[in-house]
Amino acid sequence: MDEPVVHISGFRMDFADTTVVRDLSFDVRAGETFGFLGSNGSGKTTTIRALLGLYEPTAGVLHINGRPFKPEHGSRLGYLPEERGLYKKEKVMDVMTYFGRLKGMDRHSARQWSLAYLDRVDLSGKAATQVDKLSSGEQQKVQLGVTIMNRPELLILDEPTKGFDPVNRRLLMDIIAEQKNDGATVVMVTHQMEEVERLCDRIILLKDGTSEAYGTIDEVQNKYGGRVVRIRHTGPIPPSPHYEVTLEETNYAELSITDDTDEAAILRELMDAGMVIRSFTTTKISMEDIFIRVYGEHNESPSPAPGRLAATRGA
Amino acid sequence: MAQHNLGTVISFEFVRTVTKLRFWIGTLSVPVIMAVVFGMIFLSNTSTSTAAEAQKNAQFSISYTDASGLITPADAAAFGAVPAASSDAGIQDVRSGAVEAYFEFPAHPESAAVKVYGADRGLFENGKYAAVAQAMLARAVAVRIGSPQLSGLAAGSAQVETVTYQGSEVAGGMNSVIPPMAFLVVFYGLVVLLAGQMLNSTLEEKENRVTEMILTTLKPTTLITGKVLALFMVGLVQVAVFASPILIGGLFYRDALSIPAFEFSQLVFDPLRMTVGFLILVGGFALFTTTLVAIGAVMPTAKEAGNFMGVMIALIFIPFYSVSLVISEPHSPIVQVFTYFPFSAPVTALLRNAFGSLGVLEAAMVIAILYVGAAVMLRLAVRLFQYGSISYTSKVSIRTALKAGSRHAVAGPAEK
Ligand SMILES: Nc1ncnc2c1ncn2[C@@H]1O[C@H](COP(=O)(O)OP(=O)(O)OP(=O)(O)O)[C@@H](O)[C@H]1O
Ligand SMILES: [Mg+2]
């Protein structure tokens, strides 16, 4: 039980002469929901494909249940690839039963399960419809159904909610949460930070092909300042070794606490400096803010892109 | 698990093909086109006599006996024919190779058949014996025209029965060629009809973007093998559909359709040739399918794959362009090359097998080449599919795929 479900260490991936992922290591533990985060092009999909044996890693160890993944090992995997697709010219039910059978269900239970699932996601009338006659969101629902057929032990979802409206996104998150409650281990790529906060136990943040932050949400939040104080006030904010002013408007400010000073001590410090405080709340730094901090601002990576852009502009 | 999956893949691939309307339109159109073509051949049947004309001039040594007394020594000499002592002696001469042909003219050629015995020269050449025998008779009676009975003979309507010898053995003639030839027809039909589907069968996963789901659910070997077997079954369905009107027509309505006398019971089924034909058919089909599947795995779209398929088909059917060479000179260097080059081997070897010019050793080698070739191609196709088909939009580098595959193979046993 102590053995991680997913174990990656020293993973490196080169395409031709570009290195896309380097020295990436992390574990996913049994039963947890793991958020696999990172900006576009940071190497998430590449890592998943290498983990599932679709790409040959340049270096490193990528294990599922202690060995490299092979479909014939019979580990119950539910994989929702980023590149979605089903057999388009077949009927919804035929495709679902086909995959159900490949995943080890018998024809009858695959049909029963599919009918119930289609009912649940509001597609009850579409069992006999050809897949390409469905809207793209509907096709995605079918695909998620295929993914979670036969109660997978490990779910790997590459952007499961992309392309869904808010109602269906909620439905989907509920379905994923159910899988988790049933004991499935979930690895999820997403760009929706509220989903991360709602569902994930632990996360990894990928930047430029390697780990930028890794741990529980709390641990990651602490790494990026952890607690944030929001105040409505009048009067200037005094400098202090205990916090950093991250936002300052006329009567509103956000302070990021940089050490483990108690919130009450901070409040006292501000009032002692003669400020009038009308409201004082402390929160955790949001994942969204962390994301923007990591990828948005000090993005001084030595990428050739800006130079090239400048050159084109100059010409 | 794998076994069960293979069955699942086969039934899915098979059922989804044969339940499509498009499939049946394509399949049923073939017998219709065949009927039209046969009709046209029937209407233009007269043209075949020109070919016989040419063969009449072919020179070969002849002996004859004439019970009718119509043929004078002068007529015979014009054809270089010499009298034989008796019917038995004439046949013996053919079997020993002393003469190439012996004609036995009956007492009443207007009602009884002229019997022609000749050394087996292959299907196309054997026709010359009957042509010359008829010409001899026609020349002999030309001087006696006046009786309606004789003018019928002069017009060339005498019946001729031909028996040919391979060495001293009676050769089956057309009747022994047809059964093993059926394998060539089936092969040809399967390839022409299924080539597109074979190519598309792996492109399908790519174009529908299902590759990732499939490859993480089952072994690529199971998928590809399942697809190949399903295609073979689809092919058999098609062959059955095409054959059904011929068989039904032949068996039940022969008289009504006035099909020329053709007795199934007269067909000679040589067990060795039939076995060889069957093995070549299956091996050739397997090689061809796995090759197309491999091409499909490399190419990003059907359009680009189509170009390669054209080349493949040309290679396979190139022996047809030299069909007379294949039949008449099976040991010429070019025919040897065609026989052993894997992609031209099926057609060449099936032709030679049908005409009885494929030795047992040669057959064994061809069969071995085809099966080994198919196995190698299957492995290649699987690898290309496994490591290449995620590149949905670009061509797979074969070298990359193979390198990845071999590294995988090396890495495998290192894990415990
Ligand atoms: N088959 C490939 N050949 C060459 N380069 C590739 C290939 N696949 C991915 N890359 C490159 O690797 C980098 C990482 O791609 P990847 O798809 O893993 O990103 P991602 O983190 O999933 O991004 P997104 O959030 O946009 O899905 C990209 O720069 C991409 O161009
Ligand atoms: Mg991605």
Side-chain angles (χ1 to χ4, degrees), chain A residues 249-308:
Chain A
E249 289 165 3
T250 328
N251 287 317
Y252 175 78
E254 284 183 14
L255 315 177
S256 161
I257 302 176
T258 48
D259 53 22
D260 46 9
T261 314
D262 188 51
E263 287 94 345
I266 304 262
L267 178 59
R268 208 171 311 118
E269 195 174 331
L270 295 174
M271 292 175 69
D272 288 351
M275 290 176 69
V276 179
I277 306 288
R278 278 179 284 116
S279 81
F280 181 96
T281 48
T282 59
T283 54
K284 289 261 166 128
I285 181 169
S286 71
M287 284 308 300
E288 181 115 6
D289 286 342
I290 293 178
F291 201 93
I292 290 170
R293 266 239 216 136
V294 172
Y295 303 103
E297 292 156 9
H298 48 89
N299 218 338
E300 300 294 294
S301 61
S303 116
R308 224 189 292 141

Side-chain angles (χ1 to χ4, degrees), chain A residues 113-147:
Chain A
W113 188 93
S114 303
L115 284 172
Y117 175 82
L118 290 175
D119 200 39
R120 164 107 198 255
V121 297
D122 232 12
L123 289 175
S124 42
K126 307 275 175 124
T129 308
Q130 199 171 302
V131 170
D132 62 0
K133 301 264 160 36
L134 297 179
S135 82
S136 91
E138 289 169 336
Q139 288 185 27
Q140 288 217 52
K141 286 184 186 175
V142 175
Q143 187 146 18
L144 182 78
V146 167
T147 308

Side-chain angles (χ1 to χ4, degrees), chain B residues 22-69:
Chain B
R22 205 177 33 164
F23 170 80
W24 287 105
I25 292 173
T27 303
L28 291 173
S29 67
V30 173
V32 172
I33 292 170
M34 263 161 56
V36 171
V37 170
F38 279 133
M40 279 161 54
I41 289 174
F42 180 74
L43 290 178
S44 62
N45 219 355
T46 43
S47 63
T48 43
S49 53
T50 1
E53 235 20 86
Q55 282 161 349
K56 271 186 232 171
N57 298 328
Q59 283 296 316
F60 52 91
S61 53
I62 303 164
S63 67
Y64 75 99
T65 52
D66 176 26
S68 68

Side-chain angles (χ1 to χ4, degrees), chain A residues 45 49 52-58 63 66-72 74 77 79-90 94-95 97-99 101-105 107 143 146-147, chain B residues 1-2 4-5 7-9 11-13 16 19-20 204-205 207-220 223 227 386-387 390-392 403-405 407-408 411-412 415-416:
Chain A
T45 302
R49 286 179 175 168
L52 296 179
L54 298 164
Y55 284 159
E56 189 70 16
T58 309
H63 282 180
R67 54 182 175 175
F69 175 79
K70 289 248 174 65
E72 62 267 34
L77 170 80
Y79 172 43
L80 182 68
E82 175 177 59
E83 195 84 55
R84 304 292 153 79
L86 295 163
Y87 290 94
K88 291 192 174 50
K89 298 289 169 200
E90 313 310 315
D94 292 346
V95 173
T97 29
Y98 179 50
F99 278 101
R101 299 201 64 200
L102 291 180
K103 286 167 179 241
M105 299 169 92
R107 186 180 293 279
Q143 187 146 18
V146 167
T147 308
Chain B
M1 180 84 182
H4 147 89
N5 275 347
T8 307
V9 172
S11 82
F12 178 73
E13 296 284 340
R16 78 197 181 104
T19 50
K20 294 287 182 319
E204 164 124 40
E205 268 76 16
E207 292 190 337
N208 286 338
R209 305 282 197 261
V210 249
T211 321
E212 285 185 68
M213 299 250 292
I214 282 286
L215 281 183
T216 51
T217 314
L218 84 169
K219 263 169 75 171
L223 176 78
K227 277 173 176 285
Q386 187 171 15
Y387 291 102
I390 307 291
S391 331
Y392 289 111
K403 225 166 56 190
R407 204 185 310 133
H408 209 72
E415 318 293 345
K416 50 181 179 264

Side-chain angles (χ1 to χ4, degrees), chain B residues 358-372:
Chain B
L358 190 70
V360 177
L361 198 67
E362 284 179 308
M365 272 173 68
V366 169
I367 291 169
I369 287 173
L370 290 177
Y371 284 83
V372 170

Side-chain angles (χ1 to χ4, degrees), chain A residues 35-217:
Chain A
F36 195 22
L37 315 178
S39 58
N40 296 129
S42 56
K44 304 179 295 294
T45 302
T46 304
T47 305
I48 289 175
R49 286 179 175 168
L51 175 65
L52 296 179
L54 298 164
Y55 284 159
E56 189 70 16
T58 309
V61 173
L62 298 100
H63 282 180
I64 291 181
N65 293 328
R67 54 182 175 175
F69 175 79
K70 289 248 174 65
E72 62 267 34
H73 288 163
S75 49
R76 294 219 302 268
L77 170 80
Y79 172 43
L80 182 68
E82 175 177 59
E83 195 84 55
R84 304 292 153 79
L86 295 163
Y87 290 94
K88 291 192 174 50
K89 298 289 169 200
E90 313 310 315
K91 290 176 184 141
V92 170
M93 182 52 79
D94 292 346
V95 173
M96 292 190 80
T97 29
Y98 179 50
F99 278 101
R101 299 201 64 200
L102 291 180
K103 286 167 179 241
M105 299 169 92
D106 62 56
R107 186 180 293 279
H108 178 75
S109 41
R111 283 189 71 89
Q112 291 305 311
W113 188 93
S114 303
L115 284 172
Y117 175 82
L118 290 175
D119 200 39
R120 164 107 198 255
V121 297
D122 232 12
L123 289 175
S124 42
K126 307 275 175 124
T129 308
Q130 199 171 302
V131 170
D132 62 0
K133 301 264 160 36
L134 297 179
S135 82
S136 91
E138 289 169 336
Q139 288 185 27
Q140 288 217 52
K141 286 184 186 175
V142 175
Q143 187 146 18
L144 182 78
V146 167
T147 308
I148 61 171
M149 273 180 117
N150 207 23
R151 299 168 48 99
E153 291 158 350
L154 173 62
L155 265 178
I156 298 184
L157 310 169
D158 201 338
E159 297 189 44
T161 54
K162 81 171 173 196
F164 280 110
D165 66 40
V167 175
N168 281 308
R169 170 170 304 179
R170 178 58 59 83
L171 175 67
L172 238 90
M173 296 318 288
D174 289 348
I175 291 175
I176 294 169
E178 263 165 39
Q179 295 294 316
K180 175 186 174 162
N181 294 338
D182 272 4
T185 306
V186 183
V187 176
M188 187 167 83
V189 171
T190 180
H191 294 297
Q192 305 296 323
M193 291 306 139
E194 70 275 13
E195 287 172 7
V196 175
E197 284 166 359
R198 193 183 140 201
L199 284 175
C200 294
D201 302 312
R202 296 194 311 137
I203 58 169
I204 188 166
L205 263 169
L206 229 58
K207 187 180 180 185
D208 299 329
T210 193
S211 167
E212 167 80 18
Y214 168 49
T216 62
I217 294 199

Side-chain angles (χ1 to χ4, degrees), chain B residues 343-410:
Chain B
F343 293 110
S344 57
V347 167
T348 315
L350 283 173
L351 266 173
R352 289 184 56 190
N353 180 52
F355 287 96
S357 72
L358 190 70
V360 177
L361 198 67
E362 284 179 308
M365 272 173 68
V366 169
I367 291 169
I369 287 173
L370 290 177
Y371 284 83
V372 170
V376 169
M377 270 298 169
L378 178 67
R379 276 189 74 84
L380 184 67
V382 165
R383 248 177 218 180
L384 289 174
F385 187 74
Q386 187 171 15
Y387 291 102
S389 52
I390 307 291
S391 331
Y392 289 111
T393 49
S394 62
K395 240 182 265 173
V396 177
S397 148
I398 294 185
R399 207 196 294 154
T400 315
L402 290 182
K403 225 166 56 190
S406 60
R407 204 185 310 133
H408 209 72
V410 172

